[in-house]
Amino acid sequence: MNEAEGAPSQARERHAVLAELLDEANWRYYVLDSPTVSDAQYDLWMREILELEEAHPDLRTPDSPTQRVGAPISTEFAPVAHLQRMESLDNAFNHDDLAGWQARAERLIEADPGPYLCELKIDGLAVAIVYEKGRLVRGATRGDGRTGDDITPNIRTLGDVPARLTGDDVPDLIEVRGEVFLPVEGFRKLNEQLMDAGRPPFANPRNSAAGSLRQKDPRITAQRPLRLIVHGVGKWEGAEAPKTQSEMYDRLKGFGLPVSDRYKVVGTLDEIRGFIDYYNDHRHDPEYEIDGVVVKVDRIPVQRQLGSTSRAPRWAVAYKYPPEEVTTALLDIQVGVGRTGRVTPFGVMRPIVVAGSTVERATLHNASEVERKGVLIGDTVVLRKAGDVIPEIVGPVTDLRDGSERAFVMPTHCPECGTELAYEREGDADLRCPNARACPAQLRERIYFAAGRNAFDIEGLGYVAATALTQPLPPQEPPLRTEADLFDLTMEQLLPIRSVVRDPETGLPKTDPETGEQKIVSFFATISGAPSKNAEKMLEELERKKKEQPLWRVLVALSIRHIGPPTARAIATEFRSIDAIAAASEEELAAVEGIGPRVAATIKEWFEVDWHREIVDRWRAAGVRMADETPADEGPRTLEGLTFVVTGTLAAFSRDEAAEAITRLGGKVSGSVSKKTGFVIVGENPGSKHDKAVTLGVPILDEEGFRTLLREGPEAARAVAVTPEE
């Protein structure tokens, strides 16, 4: 599509910048549990990209952050599919936004959607818990909304979670959704215990809850004072379902499940505002951290009538409170270099407590952001936290300047390898070090990433080891000059190594607070010169994991931009081998669900680089698995190569269930109708997608025709489909 037909270049470039910022924020928030932007900043970016896509629909591609819920799932535990998709919530930031949400709902059903249920928005970790015949059978994190991590053993350790439901009206199958959190007082005590034991404290309650639920040993989880509040239901089978959200909470409470006592059913918009305003003034009254209020249509039949967008229900909205703000001194602005070469400024501040945690650093994203905010080194700055995430610097308190402040100057050369910095593509917001192959900072970060839990998962190869392997003290030569060397390491190479300890957050050397000298370690050898347990464990893990890790983990480990676990899984499932991926065209790659043209181009570019291909060849020669076998028990893929659109309400299938039935048989589900669409499945009250199918002449199936499609395949379905004339 040329510019005359699609979005102008300025909009396209801004969309690309926002997509990268949101992808990175999602990755750090959901996967690494180490967010670098505030909720407020994330919401602003999301709003801006949504507005761009409304103005220029051709920007709304499958790999856009607006088309995904959450972010790549962690792979610490086995992936598990939710019985129904766990959706995100659209946000309101003021009373006008709230009134707009209510008005849209009213227009859709041509009636007042009220009454409404108002409840507090807990800043914790979303989970889904499944009970069969009243017995707990599974607990999972939200993950990307369709697939999460199986954390059943850890969920069972929570005192709030009953092993069996009580009452005479328990459904045969119920999937409840809720939020796991650490109470504020429990968070304080846990950090005291960690510091007494000489271990680093958690940054905030949400991180501590997420980290506690992802412990490999459930006994550790059991020692943490985690709590649960249930706020919804996915699947419900085998008993009469409640007619309202408030009745559902009464039923869930009767089953023995923990529900909030801080919700209220109201009838008008003014009453909703009253609830919101009350808790804005009393936001620290609850035992847990909150960042807003969730407003839901109370009547469940009306919820179903309103339905959902591609990522969020139309019958609920999250009203986000303004972030909490404090002031502190900006002592310095420094930069760090990431694994893709991006050079990111961050503020170093006088430590200050905000929203329950001590803050010393805050990201500034890029040089343009520093200039836009107008901050100077030495300023007193306003620091903001929305919820409990890494804070952002809002701006300076200019009235407190005394003339000693100085401007930050973005370095022109990489602070670790000296290469001149540059923008990778026209319109990029971030400077990068182009010396990807030889920059020690990038190599260090890539090795650390490749050994992480979302890639090869190498125990013993943490940040200290990655630094030692890539940046040993002279005269020792680095054993790893490229990640191609990773699986050829020997104990003889490791034993002489000494290195400076670096901070995983910034990549900067750590110093002794008393002497100011850099911290130096001999990581792979004991005092006597014998191999350390860390060294032995790391080599054992490298040998074992190279043979057993599936292809998608290898793809993640290669540090191809935009390729996280879900994307890697999709690519590996489609192509089965690294050679097939390398040989695929951009069009074939972009056709994989969730990929899109931007990611497809990045993959092709990566494989065109000589030293990238050398990594693949060397890993292959060292015994790394480069292909997945086709599972013997894989079912028939009768819908492979076909794309489907589902619109309207089906009697026997939810929208998610219909999509899952299609994807199980190899088909793809899209949110928009085009001439390439194979079939449009139509239920009651179909929308504009049905009209577009008629216009384009795309075959239309009713629910019975859909059943024929699933049971007998596309040829049988075509015989019963309605095929409009173009």
Side-chain angles (χ1 to χ4, degrees):
M1 176 180 288
N2 60 42
E3 286 189 16
E5 296 172 318
S9 60
Q10 187 176 2
R12 195 171 296 280
E13 289 165 6
R14 182 58 181 164
H15 186 277
V17 169
L18 289 167
E20 183 168 339
L21 289 170
L22 288 163
D23 284 345
E24 180 72 11
N26 277 330
W27 175 269
R28 291 190 173 277
Y29 188 87
Y30 289 100
V31 177
L32 302 182
D33 294 322
S34 58
T36 56
V37 298
S38 68
D39 282 358
Q41 181 61 65
Y42 182 93
D43 292 334
L44 285 173
W45 287 338
M46 182 60 78
R47 267 188 145 185
E48 185 179 351
I49 199 170
L50 284 167
E51 288 169 2
L52 279 172
E53 292 182 357
E54 282 296 317
H56 310 289
D58 58 300
L59 295 177
R60 190 182 292 117
T61 58
D63 56 337
S64 169
T66 66
Q67 303 304 299
R68 299 193 297 273
V69 176
I73 63 167
S74 160
T75 54
E76 187 74 13
F77 302 94
V80 60
H82 298 303
L83 301 184
Q84 288 188 3
R85 181 162 63 104
M86 294 181 72
E87 297 176 310
S88 184
L89 289 174
D90 285 334
N91 295 321
F93 299 95
N94 52 54
H95 289 324
D96 288 343
D97 289 348
L98 190 65
W101 166 77
Q102 186 209 41
R104 285 190 296 274
E106 192 168 331
R107 283 197 302 271
L108 281 170
I109 63 173
E110 299 180 348
D112 182 358
Y116 307 92
L117 183 142
C118 302
E119 61 190 8
L120 301 182
K121 186 174 183 297
I122 303 170
D123 191 23
L125 191 74
V127 297
I129 305 173
V130 178
Y131 288 87
E132 292 180 359
K133 303 295 184 182
R135 184 175 61 87
L136 192 159
V137 295
R138 191 177 74 216
T141 62
R142 185 179 75 167
D144 65 0
R146 296 185 183 278
T147 304
D149 294 339
D150 190 336
I151 54 169
T152 306
N154 293 348
I155 281 289
R156 290 182 183 277
T157 69
L158 274 63
D160 288 331
V161 180
R164 284 191 173 275
L165 302 182
T166 57
D168 298 328
D169 55 348
V170 173
D172 293 338
L173 175 68
I174 183 172
E175 181 185 40
V176 298
R177 276 80 183 273
E179 205 80 11
V180 173
F181 62 92
L182 199 69
V184 174
E185 182 61 18
F187 171 70
R188 184 185 64 79
K189 290 182 178 178
L190 174 60
N191 270 352
E192 286 178 356
Q193 294 169 0
L194 291 172
M195 288 187 287
D196 288 344
R199 298 170 61 191
F202 281 111
N204 53 60
R206 187 216 175 259
N207 276 24
S208 60
S212 298
L213 275 180
R214 290 184 172 124
Q215 292 291 326
K216 289 183 177 179
D217 186 349
R219 291 174 297 181
I220 298 176
T221 306
Q223 295 169 6
R224 308 278 169 83
L226 295 172
R227 301 290 305 278
L228 169 74
I229 285 183
V230 173
H231 53 59
V233 168
K235 198 79 169 177
W236 178 299
E237 290 182 355
E240 184 179 356
K243 299 295 190 295
T244 65
Q245 191 80 20
S246 49
E247 181 191 343
M248 179 190 295
Y249 286 176
D250 290 339
R251 294 278 295 278
L252 294 175
K253 187 175 182 180
F255 298 159
L257 290 162
V259 297
S260 174
D261 58 358
R262 294 180 181 267
Y263 72 86
K264 186 177 182 180
V265 178
V266 301
T268 68
L269 192 58
D270 284 342
E271 289 176 293
I272 295 174
R273 291 169 177 154
F275 185 94
I276 289 169
D277 292 344
Y278 175 84
Y279 276 105
N280 191 31
D281 295 335
H282 297 80
R283 61 199 294 179
H284 296 296
D285 287 1
E287 62 176 319
Y288 40 79
E289 293 285 353
I290 67 170
D291 59 0
V293 166
V294 176
V295 182
K296 300 176 179 177
V297 171
D298 191 41
R299 291 178 292 168
I300 292 175
V302 178
Q303 292 181 6
R304 290 179 180 148
Q305 193 176 356
L306 288 168
S308 300
T309 66
S310 63
R311 65 185 298 274
R314 296 187 181 94
W315 49 266
V317 67
Y319 186 100
K320 303 293 282 291
Y321 285 137
E324 294 188 82
E325 296 182 347
V326 297
T327 57
T328 189
L330 179 62
L331 304 177
D332 197 5
I333 298 177
Q334 301 177 357
V335 297
V337 183
R339 66 187 173 94
T340 62
R342 184 169 65 181
V343 179
T344 306
F346 60 90
V348 179
M349 294 156 299
R350 181 176 294 130
I352 188 168
V353 176
V354 53
S357 60
T358 300
V359 172
E360 296 182 64
R361 294 184 179 87
T363 182
L364 284 162
H365 304 299
N366 51 57
S368 299
E369 188 77 354
V370 178
E371 184 177 352
R372 186 185 70 80
K373 291 181 182 293
V375 294
L376 303 176
I377 297 169
D379 266 334
T380 297
V381 293
V382 177
L383 199 65
R384 178 165 67 188
K385 291 187 79 176
D388 278 302
V389 297
I390 296 298
E392 66 170 327
I393 294 172
V394 179
V397 184
T398 55
D399 291 345
L400 296 180
R401 285 178 174 167
D402 60 13
S404 64
E405 298 81 13
R406 68 186 192 277
F408 166 70
V409 179
M410 188 72 179
T412 58
H413 291 74
C414 176
E416 296 208 34
C417 74
T419 302
E420 185 174 1
L421 303 178
Y423 294 105
E424 186 174 66
R425 295 184 179 90
E426 186 178 349
D428 276 1
D430 299 308
L431 280 169
R432 295 179 186 270
C433 170
N435 184 23
R437 182 175 190 175
C439 176
Q442 293 182 62
L443 178 58
R444 178 185 70 235
E445 300 298 324
R446 291 199 304 267
I447 292 296
Y448 175 57
F449 181 79
R453 66 184 184 184
N454 294 297
F456 281 111
D457 194 17
I458 307 297
E459 190 175 340
L461 211 174
Y463 203 76
V464 174
T467 302
L469 291 169
T470 57
Q471 295 172 284
L473 290 174
Q476 178 65 28
E477 293 293 321
L480 300 186
R481 295 182 179 276
T482 166
E483 48 264 65
D485 299 326
L486 182 60
F487 294 96
D488 295 326
L489 287 170
T490 65
M491 187 64 76
E492 290 71 25
Q493 291 175 298
L494 302 180
L495 292 180
I497 291 176
R498 295 168 70 245
S499 72
V500 174
V501 178
R502 290 179 177 264
D503 185 335
E505 289 186 10
T506 65
L508 300 178
K510 286 188 174 183
T511 57
D512 188 299
E514 295 183 0
T515 65
E517 295 180 353
Q518 291 184 342
K519 293 184 178 180
I520 296 174
V521 294
S522 177
F523 191 74
F524 299 112
T526 64
I527 295 175
S528 66
S532 67
K533 290 183 178 180
N534 284 324
E536 292 175 344
K537 183 66 176 177
M538 185 185 76
L539 292 181
E540 289 171 4
E541 285 278 287
L542 285 167
E543 182 63 27
R544 180 167 65 89
K545 294 294 179 67
K546 72 182 182 183
K547 300 173 183 176
E548 65 182 35
Q549 296 294 31
L551 176 62
W552 72 265
R553 283 182 173 271
V554 178
L555 285 176
V556 172
L558 290 171
S559 277
I560 305 171
R561 285 181 68 186
H562 312 305
I563 305 300
T567 308
R569 285 179 188 276
I571 295 168
T573 299
E574 182 71 23
F575 294 100
R576 299 289 184 187
S577 76
I578 200 80
D579 292 335
I581 296 167
S585 67
E586 280 191 36
E587 291 74 19
E588 290 170 327
L589 290 165
V592 177
E593 185 175 3
I595 303 303
R598 180 167 64 102
V599 176
T602 300
I603 296 169
K604 286 301 295 180
E605 289 169 7
W606 193 92
F607 279 100
E608 288 169 358
V609 177
D610 290 347
W611 67 272
H612 289 167
R613 295 197 300 273
E614 181 189 352
I615 296 170
V616 174
D617 292 342
R618 291 271 304 281
W619 282 6
R620 190 201 314 270
V624 175
R625 279 180 54 181
M626 290 293 172
D628 288 338
E629 295 179 3
T630 301
D633 60 349
E634 184 174 72
R637 297 177 65 83
T638 55
L639 305 185
E640 193 157 26
L642 293 173
T643 300
F644 300 83
V645 173
V646 182
T647 181
T649 303
L650 300 173
F653 299 85
S654 69
R655 189 71 59 86
D656 288 337
E657 288 170 337
E660 288 167 7
I662 291 166
T663 54
R664 274 200 306 269
L665 295 174
K668 298 174 183 177
V669 180
S670 174
S672 59
V673 180
S674 71
K675 287 188 176 182
K676 295 182 179 180
T677 304
F679 293 90
V680 173
I681 292 92
V682 174
E684 292 184 13
N685 301 316
S688 60
K689 294 171 186 175
H690 171 269
D691 298 335
K692 189 167 185 180
V694 172
T695 302
L696 296 177
V698 175
I700 297 171
L701 293 172
D702 61 12
E703 187 160 355
E704 188 55 42
F706 181 45
R707 291 177 183 277
T708 300
L709 173 78
L710 299 178
R711 186 174 58 249
E712 302 177 36
E715 291 304 318
R718 287 190 182 95
V720 298
V722 175
T723 306
E725 294 295 329
E726 293 193 33

